[in-house]
């Protein structure tokens, strides 16, 4: 795609040099110039020649400090966003992005150094060029002239870490400790500070900036990309009747604009323990390690299994206080084994090799304070406690892939591995009823239609459900052309029939995502998929008013993604999402302007990444991550890579975990492949 964009730009240069200019050609050229950062040269379109470009002879003498890097990244992002909007003919949005870029440059002027000026110079030149072109489209922008390069360098700004923390806490602008943290604790405390509603926990500044598994929610300097601000501004968050006031929202926005800086002593301190006015917490929280101490992999000689024996006991007896808890007791969170390994306020709860000496076992037996579980629940039987004690005594061994996996998912997967497909179908039917009830549907009016591979549910007519089922079966036939042959009955393909949730209105679809999945879906979505082993469904907007073609178009990509993700162990979302869209031809079905906009978004996404690791770790907003996933999937399906891709899918189906299956098939790790792809497109 990027190669195509470069070719378009090249053709644009040839066109304008011959004075045979057509506005669409200029639009493509200007958009690509903004996005790719190329210098425009003498385009004779009936206005004064734009400012001539020259190569800046100066070089940056030293790396920019963190605040300067944030300013450069923020301005660059706005300029690229302007290019993406220009490509789609949305000149108003393009102009608004340039206004923000100009404002950010003006704000940075007070602390500008010669090094920062030099880093911003290419973007400032692109702004000058873009102003000229947007004025032709009737967009009025504030005056902008490239400022004079400072002769004297300003005092260096305080260097911060990648997470936004610093050894010398920032004192200018909005204070995170005294202004932002109290808002987050008050408005988000019950669900995300003291809990992990929807899989997102932000007990510390470091975790807030890391974001949920879906990706980062705060982008320093960029309000539009910061999903935390978006969900508050649209009213999606906070839930439960609490509202963020206009003044509080303004404070949060200003903090993000100023770089989302941290002015406390320790970014891993609990938000609830932070105190303003420079004072430190009465009891500083211990830094939370990025990875827990591993306790060793199973040898095969163990008599007790964590996933089959221990995790189900913990989920059944600890939920509400330590799992999925609004407020965890004793500071001990057990949503994952990694969290349990870190311990709580009393320290570690396990001593691998000595189960009876472990605090967890002592609490369960009632030998160390109050007996657990609390809250009037019956105590565990001696045999159940002995299982946990034996597992710890045998070294608390567990497969590495399960350490960060939610405990409930571990339990579900263990059950799934032993269940027959018919049992899984019955379990998914019960889940469908629970999900619809949670989303506010009248389950007594819910209809159901069964096909070979799918169970379709919804408060719509039987005819609509049948149309959705037929479209899903046709989509699966198309997707299976790219997948290894699977044996067994049709019901075995998804290890039980996959569910399709049919929502009659876009509002119903949005509410379903909020109530069942705890998230807001992008406004242009009409369908999506979810898979964790037991849960395997597609949610889609469809009613009697939708045509068969519309329903088929909405169903095809998520069904293909569901087919891919269910082929093996640990298939990541980007891989399934990208392949699902690519094999369904979803990108090619869009009109020219929409494809241009998406290509522009792809260029922006690529330009904002330093390495493949950033992409794989969810450092992009979901929409841009999906654009990149599709492009990477298309490269995997190319003629030169197809043999390796086929081997990856065969390896997955044979039982290999995704990292090993990918490396064996492509002769590269996923990170190395994405790095190589980024290098190629750049």
């Amino acid at each position: 795609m990027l190669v195509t964009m470069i070719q378009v730009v090249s053709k644009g240069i040839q066109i304008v040099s011959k004075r045979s200019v057509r506005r669409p050609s200029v639009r493509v050229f200007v958009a690509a110039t903004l996005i790719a950062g190329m210098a425009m040269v003498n385009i004779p379109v009936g206005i004064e020649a734009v400012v001539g470009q020259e190569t800046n002879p100066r070089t940056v003498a030293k790396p920019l400090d963190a605040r300067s890097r944030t300013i450069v990244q923020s301005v660059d992002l706005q300029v690229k966003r302007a290019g993406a909007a220009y490509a789609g003919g949305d000149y108003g949005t393009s102009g608004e992005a340039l206004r923000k870029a100009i404002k950010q440059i003006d704000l940075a002027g007070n602390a500008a150094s010669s090094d920062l000026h030099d880093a911003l110079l290419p973007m400032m030149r692109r702004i000058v060029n873009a102003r000229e072109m947007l004025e032709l489209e009737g967009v009025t922008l504030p005056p902008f002239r490239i400022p004079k390069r400072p002769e004297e360098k300003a005092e260096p700004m305080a260097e911060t870490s990648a997470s936004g923390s610093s050894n010398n806490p920032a004192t200018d602008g909005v204070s995170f400790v005294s202004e932002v943290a109290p808002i987050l604790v008050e408005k988000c405390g019950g669900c995300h500070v003291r809990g992990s509603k929807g899989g997102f926990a932000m007990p510390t500044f470091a975790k807030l900036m890391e974001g949920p598994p879906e990706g980062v929610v705060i982008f320093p300097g960029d309000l539009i990309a910061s999903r935390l601000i978006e969900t508050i501004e649209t009213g999606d968050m906070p839930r439960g009747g609490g509202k963020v006031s206009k003044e509080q929202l303004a404070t949060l926005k200003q903090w993000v604009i100023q770089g989302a800086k941290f002015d406390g002593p320790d970014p891993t301190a609990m938000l609830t323990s932070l105190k303003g006015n420079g004072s430190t917490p009465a009891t500083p929280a211990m830094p939370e390690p990025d990875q827990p101490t591993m306790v060793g992999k199973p040898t095969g000689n163990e008599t007790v299994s964590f996933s089959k024996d221990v995790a189900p006991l913990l989920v059944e007896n600890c939920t509400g206080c330590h799992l999925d808890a609004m407020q965890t007791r004793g500071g001990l969170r057990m949503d994952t084994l990694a969290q349990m390994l870190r311990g709580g306020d009393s320290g570690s709860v396990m001593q691998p090799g000595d189960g009876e000496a472990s605090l967890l076992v002592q609490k369960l037996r009632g030998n160390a304070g109050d007996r657990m579980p609390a809250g009037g629940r019956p105590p565990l039987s001696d045999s159940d406690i002995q299982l946990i004690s034996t597992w710890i005594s045998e070294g608390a061994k567990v497969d590495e892939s399960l350490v960060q996996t939610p405990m409930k998912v571990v339990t579900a997967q263990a059950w799934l591995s032993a269940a027959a497909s018919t049992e899984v179908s019955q379990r998914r039917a019960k889940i469908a009823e629970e999900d619809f009830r949670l989303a506010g549907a009248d389950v007594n009016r819910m209809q159901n239609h069964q096909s070979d591979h799918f169970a379709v549910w919804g408060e719509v007519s039987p005819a609509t459900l049948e149309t959705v089922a037929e479209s899903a079966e046709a989509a699966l036939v198309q997707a299976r052309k790219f997948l290894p042959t699977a044996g067994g009955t049709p019901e075995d393909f998804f290890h039980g029939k996959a569910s399709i949730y049919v929502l009659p209105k876009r509002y119903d679809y949005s509410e379903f995502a909020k109530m069942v999945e705890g998230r807001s879906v992008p406004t242009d979505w009409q369908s999506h998929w979810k898979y964790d082993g037991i849960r395997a469904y597609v949610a889609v907007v469809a009613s009697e008013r939708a045509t068969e073609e519309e329903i088929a178009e909405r169903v095809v990509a998520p069904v293909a993604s569901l087919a891919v993700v269910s082929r093996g162990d640990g298939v990541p979302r980007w891989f399934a999402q990208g392949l699902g869209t690519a094999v369904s031809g979803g990108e090619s079905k869009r009109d020219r302007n929409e494809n241009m906009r998406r290509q522009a978004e792809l260029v922006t996404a690529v330009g904002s990444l330093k390495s493949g690791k950033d992409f794989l770790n969810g450092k992009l907003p979901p929409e841009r991550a999906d654009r990149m996933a599709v492009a990477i999937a298309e490269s995997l399906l190319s003629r030169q890579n197809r043999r390796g891709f086929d081997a990856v899918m065969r390896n997955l189906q044979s039982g290999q975990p995704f990292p090993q299956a990918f490396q064996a098939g492509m002769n590269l790790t996923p990170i190395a492949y994405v790095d190589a792809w980024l290098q190629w497109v750049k």
Side-chain angles (χ1 to χ4, degrees):
M1 288 184 177
L2 296 183
V3 173
T4 302
M5 180 65 79
I6 293 171
Q7 293 171 344
V8 169
V9 173
S10 176
K11 292 177 181 178
I13 294 174
Q14 296 172 2
I15 291 171
V16 297
S17 66
K18 295 178 181 179
R19 288 185 172 269
S20 57
V21 180
R22 293 191 300 271
R23 187 172 296 276
S25 300
V26 175
R27 186 171 70 192
V28 172
F29 179 43
V30 173
T33 299
L34 281 169
I35 296 165
M38 300 173 58
M40 292 178 64
V41 292
N42 296 329
I43 304 179
V45 291
I47 61 173
E48 289 184 9
V50 294
V51 178
Q53 307 298 319
E54 63 180 20
T55 303
N56 182 17
R58 306 180 182 94
T59 57
V60 179
K62 62 181 180 180
L64 293 174
D65 57 77
R67 188 178 179 191
S68 294
R69 290 197 300 271
T70 298
I71 293 170
V72 172
Q73 292 169 358
S74 182
V75 173
D76 183 57
L77 186 63
Q78 294 297 345
V79 172
K80 288 175 177 176
R81 182 172 284 127
Y86 194 101
D90 188 351
Y91 306 122
T93 300
S94 180
E96 184 61 29
L98 281 185
R99 289 188 192 94
K100 292 180 180 179
I102 292 171
K103 183 177 181 180
Q104 289 165 344
I105 291 173
D106 290 341
L107 291 174
N110 295 330
S113 66
S114 56
D115 293 331
L116 176 57
H117 180 278
D118 292 345
L120 289 172
L121 186 56
M123 285 161 271
M124 291 191 290
R125 287 173 171 163
R126 285 147 63 192
I127 291 173
V128 171
N129 294 331
R131 283 187 74 259
E132 297 280 359
M133 303 307 299
L134 282 170
E135 285 183 357
L136 290 177
E137 305 295 345
V139 178
T140 302
L141 293 168
F144 178 75
R145 303 184 72 175
I146 297 177
K148 183 179 178 182
R149 183 177 190 266
E151 295 298 330
E152 297 294 332
K153 294 184 178 180
E155 290 295 320
M157 302 175 190
E159 182 68 22
T160 63
S161 70
S163 66
S165 63
S166 67
N167 294 328
N168 300 312
T171 57
D172 58 327
V174 176
S175 166
F176 178 84
V177 170
S178 62
E179 297 180 78
V180 175
I183 296 173
L184 298 178
V185 171
E186 177 190 355
K187 302 299 182 180
C188 313
C191 293
H192 302 293
V193 176
R194 292 180 290 269
S196 58
K197 197 73 172 178
F200 178 30
M202 53 178 189
T204 68
F205 174 82
K207 286 297 181 184
L208 168 66
M209 300 305 288
E210 180 181 321
E214 292 79 15
V216 179
V217 296
I218 291 179
F219 286 80
D222 188 353
L223 289 177
I224 295 178
S226 297
R227 295 298 291 271
L228 181 71
I229 300 297
E230 178 190 355
T231 56
I232 293 174
E233 198 163 30
T234 58
D236 291 339
M237 295 287 175
R239 303 277 171 78
K243 294 293 182 183
V244 175
S245 69
K246 293 182 179 179
E247 294 76 15
Q248 290 172 324
L249 179 58
T251 297
L252 295 174
K253 285 184 173 182
Q254 194 61 26
W255 174 69
V256 172
I257 290 173
Q258 292 172 355
K261 293 175 290 185
F262 181 71
D263 58 342
D266 181 5
T268 64
M270 298 294 290
L271 298 188
T272 52
S273 68
L274 294 177
K275 294 184 179 181
N277 302 321
S279 63
T280 58
T283 305
M286 292 298 291
E288 186 175 9
D290 291 334
Q291 294 290 338
T293 301
M294 293 302 299
V295 291
K297 298 180 180 180
T299 62
N301 298 321
E302 293 80 16
T303 61
V304 178
S305 164
F306 170 74
S307 59
K308 296 179 180 179
D309 302 317
V310 176
L313 288 173
L314 298 177
V315 169
E316 181 180 356
N317 293 279
C318 305
T319 296
C321 294
H322 303 288
L323 283 96
D324 282 349
M326 296 293 284
Q327 184 171 358
T328 54
R329 291 178 176 267
L332 176 62
R333 293 174 58 208
M334 298 167 55
D335 292 291
T336 66
L337 178 59
Q339 293 169 344
M340 190 169 79
L341 287 170
R342 291 171 185 141
D345 295 341
S346 301
S348 175
V349 297
M350 293 195 304
Q351 294 185 26
D354 193 344
E356 291 302 314
S358 298
L359 182 60
L360 175 63
V361 174
Q362 292 179 6
K363 283 284 188 182
L364 293 174
R365 294 195 185 281
N367 297 332
D370 294 336
R371 184 167 186 166
M372 295 292 147
R377 297 183 183 184
L380 271 70
S381 67
D382 288 341
S383 59
D384 287 342
I385 298 174
Q386 188 58 50
L387 276 176
I388 297 173
S389 178
T390 301
W391 172 67
I392 297 174
S393 294
E394 291 180 344
K397 303 290 181 66
V398 65
D399 288 328
E400 183 177 354
S401 62
L402 300 181
V403 175
Q404 297 285 3
T405 304
M407 199 89 68
K408 286 189 173 181
V409 175
V410 172
T411 302
Q413 290 175 343
W415 175 85
L416 186 68
S417 65
S421 295
T422 53
E423 294 177 294
V424 178
S425 294
Q426 294 169 2
R427 180 80 173 270
R428 287 174 181 166
K430 293 181 180 178
I431 291 173
E433 182 175 330
E434 294 169 0
D435 287 346
F436 272 98
R437 181 178 285 111
L438 184 60
D442 184 353
V443 295
N444 294 321
R445 297 176 54 194
M446 192 163 63
Q447 302 288 326
N448 171 245
H449 179 83
Q450 301 282 330
S451 65
D452 288 343
H453 299 87
F454 302 96
V456 191
W457 310 85
E459 285 187 83
V460 295
S461 69
T464 299
L465 295 182
E466 185 175 357
T467 299
V468 171
E470 291 173 352
S471 296
E473 293 289 354
L476 186 59
V477 170
Q478 181 176 343
R480 294 183 71 167
K481 296 177 182 177
F482 297 83
L483 303 175
T485 302
T489 67
E491 194 170 10
D492 293 331
F493 185 84
F494 293 108
H495 196 174
K497 290 187 178 183
S499 300
I500 300 182
Y501 297 164
V502 181
L503 293 312
K505 300 177 182 178
R506 180 59 175 70
Y507 173 81
D508 300 323
Y509 172 75
S510 178
E511 284 299 299
F512 172 86
K514 291 176 185 177
M515 301 307 298
V516 176
E517 300 173 354
R519 63 168 178 161
S520 298
V521 293
T523 56
D524 60 338
W525 281 20
Q526 298 283 332
S527 61
H528 68 274
W529 59 274
K530 183 176 179 64
Y531 181 85
D532 63 12
I534 292 182
R535 287 179 178 268
Y537 66 75
V538 169
V540 60
V541 180
S543 68
E544 291 77 3
R545 294 185 298 275
T547 66
E548 292 183 6
E549 291 75 16
E550 288 173 333
I551 292 175
E553 185 175 340
R554 294 170 189 172
V555 166
V556 59
V559 165
S561 294
L562 203 61
V564 171
V565 76
S566 62
R567 291 308 87 203
D569 181 24
V571 178
R573 182 187 182 280
W574 68 266
F575 186 80
Q577 178 71 19
L579 284 168
T581 305
V583 303
S584 69
E587 292 290 300
S588 61
K589 296 176 183 177
R590 306 182 190 278
D591 61 40
R592 180 173 179 274
N593 285 338
E594 177 65 9
N595 278 331
M596 286 177 61
R597 183 183 70 80
R598 288 170 178 261
Q599 288 185 11
E601 286 182 358
L602 175 60
V603 179
T604 302
V606 169
S608 65
L609 287 177
K610 294 180 180 179
S611 69
K613 185 177 181 180
D614 288 344
F615 167 71
L616 297 179
N617 288 344
K619 300 299 183 182
L620 284 177
E623 293 86 345
R624 293 182 191 166
D626 287 351
R627 295 288 83 70
M628 266 196 65
V630 174
I632 294 171
E634 288 174 342
S635 75
L636 289 168
L637 294 172
S638 65
R639 180 179 300 177
Q640 55 268 42
N641 291 328
R642 184 58 189 271
R643 181 175 296 179
F645 166 77
D646 290 341
V648 172
M649 299 309 298
R650 288 195 301 271
N651 295 340
L652 283 171
Q653 193 147 303
S654 69
Q656 290 187 27
F658 178 78
Q660 291 89 327
F662 190 96
Q663 184 168 2
M666 301 303 301
N667 294 320
L668 287 172
T669 64
I671 289 179
Y673 184 88
V674 177
D675 278 336
W677 181 85
L678 285 171
Q679 186 67 31
W680 177 73
V681 298
K682 287 182 177 181

